[in-house]
């Protein structure tokens, strides 16, 4: 039965009816069908900043200066003017940026030779901390020294800054030197509750840090060359014992070689890194248990393990994400392995890759998949929300639409699947999004696919630039398929004078208010900022 869309009728219905258990929030979100950003201020007068995003609790708007040296934080307020729908002429004062946002502070973050990474920002919602990054320029032809991977660029200095967003005080900093961390769209860093995982592509190490309530970044463990805290001590002590035995044997034979053998034991280290050892052990044990017959087991190991042994050894870590596995525990990592070329190139989708689930406590690999595995795709399709690993303290992030919690998103995914010419290529394409980038989705109810339908080629909950057109983006009601609820139009009201110029747009939606910013960027021109709100 089609219910009345009137807000008063909805409120009355809420008073006399109790929603089914577990659906109270979803029922409350239906009010957003009536509370939409129906009015737009075009080319608003605003500071020349690079606007990043709203925090997940809606308390702050993060922006950076154009020279990427300063952090500017705003508090969203609300328009103090009203108008009637038939006469929506606002005074000039209301069309200014400071009618909607109040600047709290401006903090210099970057030093003279560093710049702020404008695509990186993570928010610790429990303490209202913000994590930012600054870095020096990339060195693309840096020599691979000190255990670095050949072909991976180097950055002389990468600094993570932990700020208290309430007053802009810098609480702590963490510096990585002569390393490479993929900071674009938070790809190389993942935050889960108070745990922070940082991936060093250059040295193939996963650093686990903890963000304390006091505002300190504390080292917890490093996973890569060693998996346990005492691995390095154990190997060094054994290496020293072997060297001592070698010297004793040489002296007993009255042979002196000036310590050449001893130096070889220390310098010519043939051990694989710890996490690679765990991976090879898991693959070996899996193939070993497939066959019970000894002869068939040997043949199977030859074909599936030893033949591909060097390929497994050559794999490098691309990126990681923390995974919620079964009990929503915080001890598992989803690690993506691939070739060096795939790890640093933009066309990484065409390279073979593998996924491994790693338990940090037991230091074991518990699952391993190729990027064309049907089993992993089924898990991705049915339990997509588990891969996002949302913080338990972020209530807004629990209602982001995905094909595992929304029938409309699932139908859209299956439609793409049925139209695909090759199922294997479709699976690979879908799994390229794993591991998901941290905090890359907007929790705005206007992206709820059970409420609204829109063109995902032009706008979506994902934090990415989109191609811009001169036509407004329509948000259609799901319950009434032919009813237009509101429109979002980036750029000037009259449209672009030159339709051939390439333009891109980004959209910043408030997590719960009917408020959004659209920023249209054109090459060599000043960005055009529009504010969309409910008048």
């Amino acid at each position: 039965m089609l219910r009345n869309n009137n807000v008063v009728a909805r409120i009355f219905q809420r008073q006399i009816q109790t929603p089914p258990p577990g659906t109270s929030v979803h029922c409350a979100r239906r009010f957003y069908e009536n509370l939409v950003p129906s009015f737009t201020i075009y080319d608003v007068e605003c500071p020349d900043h690079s606007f990043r995003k709203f925090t997940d609790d809606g308390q702050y708007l993060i922006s950076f200066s154009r020279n990427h040296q300063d952090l500017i934080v705003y508090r969203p307020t609300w328009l103090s003017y009203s108008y009637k729908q038939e006469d929506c002429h606002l005074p000039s004062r209301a069309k200014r940026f400071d009618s909607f946002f109040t600047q709290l502070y401006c903090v210099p973050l970057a030093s003279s030779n560093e710049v702020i990474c404008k695509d990186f920002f993570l928010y610790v919602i429990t303490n209202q901390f913000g994590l930012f990054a600054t870095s020096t320029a990339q060195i693309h032809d840096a020599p691979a020294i000190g255990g670095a991977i050949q072909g991976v660029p180097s950055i002389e200095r990468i600094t993570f800054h932990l700020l208290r967003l309430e007053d802009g005080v810098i609480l702590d900093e963490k510096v990585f030197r002569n390393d490479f961390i993929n900071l674009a769209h938070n790809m190389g860093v993942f935050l889960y509750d108070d745990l922070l995982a940082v991936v060093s592509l250059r040295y193939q190490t996963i650093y686990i840090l903890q963000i304390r309530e006091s505002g300190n970044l504390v080292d917890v463990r490093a996973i890569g060359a060693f998996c346990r805290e005492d691995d390095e001590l154990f190997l060094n002590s054994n290496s020293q014992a072997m060297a001592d035995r070698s010297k004793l044997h040489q002296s007993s034979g009255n042979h002196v070689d000036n310590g050449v053998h001893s130096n070889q034991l220390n310098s010519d280290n043939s051990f694989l890194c710890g996490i690679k050892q765990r991976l090879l052990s898991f693959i070996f044990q899996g193939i070993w248990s497939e066959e019970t017959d000894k002869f068939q087991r040997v043949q199977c190991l030859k074909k599936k393990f030893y033949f591909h042994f060097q390929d497994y050894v050559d794999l490098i870590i691309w990126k990681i994400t923390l995974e919620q596995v079964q009990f929503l525990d915080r001890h598992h990592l989803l690690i993506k392995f691939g070739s060096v070329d795939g790890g640093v190139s933009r066309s990484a989708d065409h390279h073979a890759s593998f996924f491994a689930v790693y338990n940090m406590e037991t230091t074991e690999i518990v699952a391993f998949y190729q990027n064309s595995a049907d089993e992993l795709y089924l898990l991705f399709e049915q339990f997509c929300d588990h891969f996002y690993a949302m913080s338990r303290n972020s209530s807004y992030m629990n209602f982001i639409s995905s094909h595992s919690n929304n029938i409309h998103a699932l139908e859209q995914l299956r439609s793409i699947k049925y139209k695909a010419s090759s199922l294997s290529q479709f699976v690979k394409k879908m799994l390229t999004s794993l591991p998901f980038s941290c905090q890359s989705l907007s929790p705005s109810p206007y992206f709820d696919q059970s409420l609204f339908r829109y063109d995902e080629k032009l706008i979506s909950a994902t934090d990415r630039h989109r191609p811009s057109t001169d036509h407004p983006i329509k948000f259609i009601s799901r319950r009434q398929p032919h009813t237009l609820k509101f429109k979002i139009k980036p750029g000037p009201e009259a449209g672009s004078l030159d339709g051939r110029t390439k333009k891109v747009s980004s959209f910043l939606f408030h997590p719960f208010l009917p408020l959004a910013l659209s920023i249209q960027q054109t090459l060599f021109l000043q960005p055009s900022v529009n504010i969309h709100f409910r008048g």
Side-chain angles (χ1 to χ4, degrees):
M1 182 181 70
L2 186 64
R3 297 183 177 87
N4 196 326
N5 288 332
N6 187 281
V7 175
V8 177
R10 284 180 182 269
I11 295 174
F12 181 72
Q13 194 76 15
R14 185 177 64 179
Q15 288 179 330
I16 63 176
Q17 280 190 349
T18 302
T23 65
S24 58
V25 176
H26 294 283
C27 292
R29 284 168 69 90
R30 292 176 185 167
F31 278 85
Y32 282 102
E33 293 178 331
N34 299 87
L35 306 173
V36 297
S38 56
F39 189 73
T40 300
I41 299 178
Y42 294 93
D43 291 321
V44 66
E45 300 176 23
C46 67
D48 185 21
H49 296 158
S50 175
F51 296 101
R52 178 66 181 91
K53 66 178 297 185
F54 288 100
T55 55
D56 293 340
D57 57 3
Q59 295 295 316
Y60 307 98
L61 173 64
I62 306 300
S63 66
F64 307 115
S65 60
R66 283 293 173 188
N67 62 359
H68 301 149
Q69 297 291 309
D70 303 323
L71 163 70
I72 305 99
V73 175
Y74 293 90
R75 172 88 70 187
T77 53
W78 196 246
L79 193 65
S80 57
Y81 300 89
S82 62
Y83 69 91
K84 295 181 179 179
Q85 188 65 36
E86 62 271 11
D87 184 22
C88 54
H89 296 291
L90 294 173
S92 58
R93 167 69 180 171
K95 297 182 180 181
R96 295 177 54 179
F97 185 82
D98 55 12
S99 292
F100 295 85
F101 302 95
T102 302
Q103 180 175 327
L104 299 181
Y105 50 81
C106 176
V107 177
L109 279 186
S111 60
S112 57
N113 61 338
E114 289 184 326
V115 294
I116 296 173
C117 303
K118 63 183 182 67
D119 291 329
F120 178 84
F121 167 67
L122 292 175
Y123 184 56
V124 186
I125 193 169
T126 51
N127 306 102
Q128 293 191 347
F129 293 160
L131 187 69
F132 304 88
T134 60
S135 70
T136 56
Q138 285 188 24
I139 304 173
H140 292 280
D141 55 350
I145 58 175
I149 299 296
Q150 185 68 41
V152 178
S154 177
I155 300 176
E156 182 182 354
R157 180 185 170 95
I158 302 171
T159 307
F160 291 98
H161 309 264
L162 186 67
L163 272 78
R164 186 170 55 222
L165 291 184
E166 182 181 4
D167 51 14
V169 174
I170 299 177
L171 302 173
D172 202 357
E173 294 181 347
K174 178 70 175 179
V175 180
F176 293 85
R177 298 185 183 276
N178 301 314
D179 208 333
F180 183 81
I181 300 168
N182 192 352
L183 298 173
H185 307 292
N186 309 335
M187 290 179 66
V189 184
F190 200 96
L191 176 67
Y192 181 70
D193 286 341
D194 61 340
L195 291 181
L196 188 70
V198 181
V199 184
S200 164
L201 286 177
R202 185 166 171 80
Y203 293 101
Q204 291 295 282
T205 302
I206 304 168
Y207 298 97
I208 307 297
L209 296 87
Q210 185 180 31
I211 301 177
R212 298 284 178 85
E213 292 186 0
S214 58
N216 298 112
L217 292 168
V218 180
D219 294 322
V220 176
R221 59 167 58 92
I223 305 166
F226 310 105
C227 294
R228 297 188 185 275
E229 289 77 1
D230 59 348
D231 281 354
E232 185 175 10
L233 176 64
F234 177 79
L235 289 175
N236 287 340
S237 61
N238 277 270
S239 190
Q240 183 64 40
M242 291 173 64
D244 293 340
R245 284 197 297 268
S246 177
K247 289 180 179 179
L248 182 62
H249 177 72
Q250 292 161 15
S251 61
S252 63
N254 295 321
H255 176 71
V256 179
D257 59 0
N258 295 324
V260 173
H261 286 64
S262 175
N263 290 334
Q264 286 179 347
L265 283 171
N266 292 327
S267 61
D268 186 18
N269 187 0
S270 59
F271 286 111
L272 295 173
C273 69
I275 196 167
K276 201 73 67 69
Q277 291 274 10
R278 299 294 196 277
L279 178 61
L280 291 171
S281 299
F282 178 83
I283 298 171
F284 182 90
Q285 291 172 359
I287 298 173
W288 178 274
S289 59
E290 287 180 5
E291 299 288 345
T292 55
D293 181 76
K294 291 184 178 180
F295 177 79
Q296 292 295 333
R297 179 179 288 168
V298 171
Q299 295 300 316
C300 194
L301 285 170
K302 286 181 180 179
K303 292 179 181 179
K304 295 184 178 180
F305 183 75
Y306 295 111
F307 183 77
H308 297 286
F309 182 83
Q310 193 58 44
D311 296 328
Y312 293 137
V313 170
D314 292 339
L315 292 176
I316 68 164
I317 299 173
W318 282 2
K319 54 180 180 178
I320 78 164
T321 180
L322 288 166
E323 182 184 16
Q324 289 177 289
V325 180
Q326 195 171 5
F327 294 108
L328 304 180
D329 64 81
R330 40 194 261 153
H331 306 302
H332 292 83
L333 300 174
L334 177 64
I335 306 174
K336 187 173 185 178
F337 291 92
S339 65
V340 177
D341 294 335
V344 297
S345 69
R346 294 186 177 183
S347 59
D349 299 353
H350 303 294
H351 296 267
S353 59
F354 300 85
F355 299 91
V357 180
Y358 176 79
N359 188 316
M360 293 190 296
E361 301 301 317
T362 64
T363 72
E364 294 177 345
I365 300 287
V366 297
F368 184 68
Y369 306 96
Q370 193 169 355
N371 64 337
S372 57
D374 293 334
E375 183 182 357
L376 179 60
Y377 171 75
L378 290 175
L379 293 173
F380 171 74
E381 181 180 296
Q382 297 173 14
F383 307 102
C384 180
D385 293 345
H386 292 267
F387 289 95
Y388 284 114
M390 300 297 182
S391 172
R392 292 169 294 181
N393 301 304
S394 179
S395 58
Y396 303 111
M397 304 300 290
N398 294 327
F399 301 95
I400 294 176
S401 297
S402 72
H403 45 260
S404 63
N405 65 28
N406 188 282
I407 186 62
H408 305 288
L410 180 60
E411 289 176 353
Q412 185 177 5
L413 176 69
R414 289 179 174 173
S415 175
I416 299 172
K417 181 179 179 180
Y418 295 146
K419 293 178 182 178
S421 57
S422 169
L423 181 59
S424 175
Q425 292 300 319
F426 167 79
V427 170
K428 287 183 179 180
K429 183 179 180 181
M430 291 297 104
L431 295 183
T432 52
S433 59
L434 293 179
F436 287 123
S437 297
C438 184
Q439 298 184 9
S440 62
L441 297 176
S442 169
S444 170
Y446 303 108
F447 292 122
D448 189 337
Q449 295 195 36
S450 62
L451 299 178
F452 301 100
R453 177 170 54 88
Y454 45 87
D455 188 349
E456 291 198 52
K457 295 179 181 178
L458 300 178
I459 192 171
S460 76
T462 307
D463 180 22
R464 294 289 190 277
H465 286 90
R466 299 284 177 172
S468 184
T469 66
D470 291 331
H471 305 288
I473 302 170
K474 299 179 180 179
F475 285 73
I476 310 296
S477 172
R478 281 286 187 189
R479 295 194 312 115
Q480 298 172 288
H482 303 290
T483 302
L484 174 66
K485 286 298 182 179
F486 67 99
K487 297 182 290 186
I488 295 288
K489 185 182 184 306
E493 184 175 10
S496 174
L497 298 177
D498 186 3
R500 297 171 297 179
T501 305
K502 185 178 180 180
K503 303 178 290 292
V504 294
S505 295
S506 57
F507 303 91
L508 310 182
F509 276 73
H510 195 276
F512 53 87
L513 293 177
L515 175 67
L517 294 178
S518 64
I519 302 110
Q520 186 185 80
Q521 299 180 3
T522 308
L523 193 63
F524 305 123
L525 295 179
Q526 191 79 4
S528 175
V529 180
N530 298 343
I531 296 181
H532 313 270
F533 66 101
R534 175 174 173 80

